[in-house]
Amino acid sequence: MVNTADPAWRRFVEFIKDDLAWMTPVVLAEMFNDEEVTPKRIADWRRGHGRPKLAELPRLSLEWTSSAAHDGEVDELFFARMLNAVPDAQEALAHEVWLHRRVFELRSELRDLEMSVRHSDTTEATGAIIAATTATQNWAVAVQPAIEGPSGLRFHVADILDFRRVYKQGDDSDVSLRAERNDLENELHHVLNRYGAVYAPRAPTQWMSKADTKASGDTEPDRLRYSVRHTIAERSPDRQWQHKDVPAVAIVSLTDGPWPADVAALLARMLGYGFFTTRKIAQGYRPNNRLPTSEELDAYRSQLHGEHLHKPWPRYVWSHRGTDVLPGRFLPIPPKGVGNAPQSGPLHVIWLREDSPLIANLVEGRKLDSKQEAAIRKGRDKIDRQIKTFKGAEAHVVVHTVACESVGPGSDDRRGPRWQRSFRLAREAVELVLGTEYNDVIEPHLAKIAVKPNPDPIEKCLIDWLGEDSLN
């Protein structure tokens, strides 16, 4: 039977049954002059026991409108119009204009949402975490802003959060830090993960807590301390893609000594690209619903990085730190042939190569054991050898090596020099990626950032630093 819920087909039945009631099925069949339109089919249509196929409508319309019974021009869309399958020309134009307007509105909404997300990542993240922490009624949190930056250029780079359980459960001496951290992250996982708060027990603050006084140089600090890094908040690409021959860039290092995430984030801002870190993506990794070990987390991050090396996101810069240097886990697997080069350009991988003094200072400052130190030094030698295998494959992937020197083993008093180094490494990276086009491309982009009505503190600091350093 005809689908009576469809008003269009109901109109067709009414036309055959009521409008043409004075005609018998035999007369109608002769008028249609179609060998497939028999009196029996027309009788079935009138009873609602069937309907013509959509493909038959143009032929039926042509036969009907060409007959003497139809007063008008021949119109093979007669029945299609009756079923509203063909919109009126004026209505179609109005609909197209409406679609253009809707697309414009959606683009405006998307732009507002992008700005809102970026704003929330840099200024509202800490407030959201505090609100969620208070709502648990189980935890309290203390906050200190971290004000750092290159020499003479300070800005709000992060918020340091210290968590404490409000009500102790029994003898807290029997509760391990790992168990406390697991409970905290189970309750606040959604907000910590959303805003990229990472466990940072060694992050420096101006206050001293019981955990700080308990900690010694030979043990892991007993703190539930996290960091919300505004400088490395994830971001989406700008709407315009100016560097089509640079599809994506990866910043890699064996340790966090070169600050690869900050270098990558600064590079992304210079290019107008999106940014993420493998550390942030792995934030929610919970094997068997528990906190992963350091080895499990490192292995998972290496897998994530390897996947992005294989299929990089267009218009993104990402950072990765890890000592797994197997093929495809740190650098891409060298292509076997040099043909079939991608049309958009090669993937750029920038290795921030730690010099020996930097490794030695990391070993001393982080109290790394001999096994960890050996992994770093062996990894560096393996990467040096792997880079040679990419010769001749520049159409697919270009690997750049940027030397990263030490600025000393200190922390607080070395933040300025480390930031100065990060800004310089980012500039070296963008020059390597853009090549001879650097001055022609980067200056207009940075000039556009400089005149934005409300540039964020990181962009303002970047422009001021480049102004001091000079783009020439």
Side-chain angles (χ1 to χ4, degrees), residues 178-196:
R178 187 175 183 82
E180 286 284 89
R181 181 185 165 198
N182 189 69
D183 289 347
L184 173 72
E185 294 194 10
N186 280 342
E187 287 196 69
L188 295 173
H189 171 71
H190 63 289
V191 69
L192 295 177
N193 185 47
R194 177 179 178 183
Y195 294 108

Side-chain angles (χ1 to χ4, degrees), residues 209-248:
S209 67
K210 183 174 67 173
D212 291 297
T213 57
K214 284 171 56 179
S216 67
D218 297 326
T219 61
E220 181 73 10
D222 188 16
R223 312 181 185 101
L224 282 177
R225 184 167 293 170
Y226 289 72
S227 173
V228 179
R229 297 283 299 279
H230 303 321
T231 54
I232 59 173
E234 291 178 329
R235 54 187 289 118
S236 58
D238 291 346
R239 283 175 296 281
Q240 294 182 344
W241 190 2
Q242 297 179 331
H243 323 297
K244 294 186 182 298
D245 56 339
V246 182

Side-chain angles (χ1 to χ4, degrees), residues 259-456:
W259 287 13
D262 288 286
V263 174
L266 290 170
L267 173 61
R269 289 175 182 272
M270 291 183 182
L271 294 175
Y273 280 18
F275 166 75
F276 66 92
T277 70
T278 56
R279 180 176 185 176
K280 172 60 175 68
I281 295 180
Q283 179 83 5
Y285 179 54
R286 292 292 184 275
N288 300 321
N289 199 30
R290 60 174 174 78
L291 286 173
T293 64
S294 297
E295 292 76 13
E296 289 174 329
L297 188 58
D298 287 344
Y300 183 64
R301 288 167 58 180
S302 293
Q303 292 175 6
L304 291 173
H305 176 60
E307 179 63 23
H308 283 94
L309 288 174
H310 181 58
K311 296 179 180 178
W313 293 356
R315 300 172 59 197
Y316 271 88
V317 178
W318 81 91
S319 70
H320 171 70
R321 184 271 301 167
T323 55
D324 184 354
V325 296
L326 291 174
R329 292 296 188 94
F330 192 88
L331 299 179
I333 297 176
K336 296 181 179 180
V338 296
N340 300 321
Q343 294 181 357
S344 58
L347 167 67
H348 288 261
V349 180
I350 298 175
W351 175 34
L352 304 181
R353 187 182 188 276
E354 299 93 336
D355 66 9
S356 294
L358 175 56
I359 296 176
N361 285 330
L362 285 171
V363 171
E364 177 185 355
R366 301 293 176 85
K367 306 299 179 183
L368 303 182
D369 56 35
S370 57
K371 182 179 180 181
Q372 293 171 312
E373 180 182 2
I376 296 171
R377 296 188 181 278
K378 289 180 180 179
R380 190 177 62 169
D381 294 339
K382 288 182 179 179
I383 296 170
D384 284 333
R385 293 192 295 269
Q386 286 181 21
I387 289 177
K388 297 178 181 179
T389 64
F390 287 90
K391 188 175 182 180
E394 289 80 3
H396 295 267
V397 58
V398 179
V399 180
H400 309 276
T401 301
V402 177
C404 185
E405 78 283 4
S406 173
V407 292
S411 54
D412 294 350
D413 57 336
R414 293 290 179 176
R415 293 287 170 169
R418 290 182 182 182
W419 272 112
Q420 193 79 17
R421 182 187 63 187
S422 295
F423 276 65
R424 178 181 56 78
L425 292 174
R427 173 168 171 169
E428 287 187 27
V430 77
E431 289 176 340
L432 288 170
V433 168
L434 296 180
T436 57
E437 299 181 1
Y438 171 76
N439 288 327
D440 295 335
V441 173
I442 206 68
E443 287 190 58
H445 177 69
L446 295 176
K448 189 181 299 183
I449 295 177
V451 298
K452 287 173 62 175
N454 297 302
D456 68 38

Side-chain angles (χ1 to χ4, degrees), residues 151-206:
S151 178
L153 297 171
R154 302 293 181 179
F155 65 106
H156 187 180
V157 303
D159 287 317
I160 309 302
L161 311 178
D162 266 33
F163 292 88
R164 298 287 185 274
R165 188 182 289 277
V166 176
Y167 302 106
K168 299 296 183 181
Q169 298 178 343
D171 185 1
D172 65 315
S173 61
D174 296 333
V175 180
S176 68
L177 173 65
R178 187 175 183 82
E180 286 284 89
R181 181 185 165 198
N182 189 69
D183 289 347
L184 173 72
E185 294 194 10
N186 280 342
E187 287 196 69
L188 295 173
H189 171 71
H190 63 289
V191 69
L192 295 177
N193 185 47
R194 177 179 178 183
Y195 294 108
V198 297
Y199 183 56
R202 297 181 182 276
T205 63
Q206 297 299 317

